[in-house]
Amino acid sequence: PEAVVSPGGVGFDINCGVRLLRTNLFEEDVEPFKEELAQCMFDHIPVGVGSQGVIPMNMKDLEEALELGMDWSIREGYSWAEDKEHCEEYGRMLNADPAKVSSRAKKRGLPQLGTLGAGNHYAEIQVVDEIFDAEAASKMGIGKVGQVCVMIHSGSRGFGHQVATDALVAMEKAME
């Protein structure tokens, strides 16, 4: 290659991200059910090292997801079209080429699509305790102190790690 970018310089967690989901609930609505709600999240969100996703996938599906991004997710019923408005590049890199992704990365990623991950990844229920910018909060649908939101930090897990590892190997070869 003419040039390389070290994943260490831009972040090794490829496609790691944080999303805030606002609800129409308030703290007093969920307080009586918080233990059950936490258990339900634990029971239904695949999390941790070795966890596998609940999205039925084969390699063809993964190739399409890599190429189409959120358009695949919308088509399969996992997200809504309006979600694209809140994602970088509207949820799809138009020049995405799954052929440039190693078979090892795809193999690692296949069983993990739809999982939360491990380490610093989380899904937690939060309560708005202060609004610093009413205009920005309003655009996110947050209107009052006490409103309940769900914060999710997840990433591409083994898939992203392998993509970054593959890039590091290519960089090392280019520097020889």
Side-chain angles (χ1 to χ4, degrees):
E2 289 183 29
V4 293
V5 175
S6 169
V10 296
F12 212 82
D13 256 349
I14 306 298
N15 206 33
C16 217
V18 177
R19 293 288 185 256
L20 177 73
L21 304 176
R22 66 117 178 111
T23 74
N24 294 324
L25 300 171
F26 288 87
E27 186 171 19
E28 60 268 14
D29 299 324
V30 299
E31 181 65 35
F33 308 101
K34 67 181 182 181
E35 296 298 324
E36 294 92 337
L37 186 56
Q39 186 62 52
C40 187
M41 289 176 69
F42 183 78
D43 291 344
H44 295 284
I45 300 173
V47 63
V49 174
S51 64
Q52 294 199 357
V54 295
I55 298 174
M57 293 285 288
N58 59 39
M59 195 56 74
K60 180 180 179 284
D61 294 325
L62 181 62
E63 296 266 345
E64 288 180 359
L66 291 174
E67 183 176 350
L68 300 175
M70 278 198 72
D71 290 332
W72 178 88
S73 182
I74 292 165
R75 184 188 77 196
E76 298 299 317
Y78 297 115
S79 60
W80 296 284
E82 56 267 24
D83 292 338
K84 292 171 61 169
E85 298 171 22
H86 305 285
C87 292
E88 300 81 8
E89 297 188 55
Y90 294 98
R92 180 178 183 185
M93 297 177 70
L94 295 177
N95 62 346
D97 183 0
K100 296 194 185 289
V101 177
S102 74
S103 60
R104 173 137 172 80
K106 291 174 187 174
K107 185 177 178 185
R108 289 185 70 185
L110 184 61
Q112 296 178 341
L113 192 69
T115 65
L116 185 61
N120 66 343
H121 294 161
Y122 60 85
E124 63 184 27
I125 300 165
Q126 300 180 343
V127 177
V128 175
D129 65 0
E130 188 172 349
I131 296 175
F132 295 96
D133 184 333
E135 183 179 350
S138 176
K139 288 181 180 178
M140 293 183 276
I142 297 172
K144 293 184 179 179
V145 168
Q147 189 168 355
V148 173
C149 298
V150 179
M151 179 75 74
I152 303 168
H153 174 226
S154 64
S156 56
R157 305 198 57 209
F159 176 82
H161 194 280
Q162 190 63 50
V163 167
T165 298
D166 294 344
L168 280 173
V169 170
M171 183 189 76
E172 288 173 352
K173 288 180 182 175
M175 295 182 67
E176 290 177 348

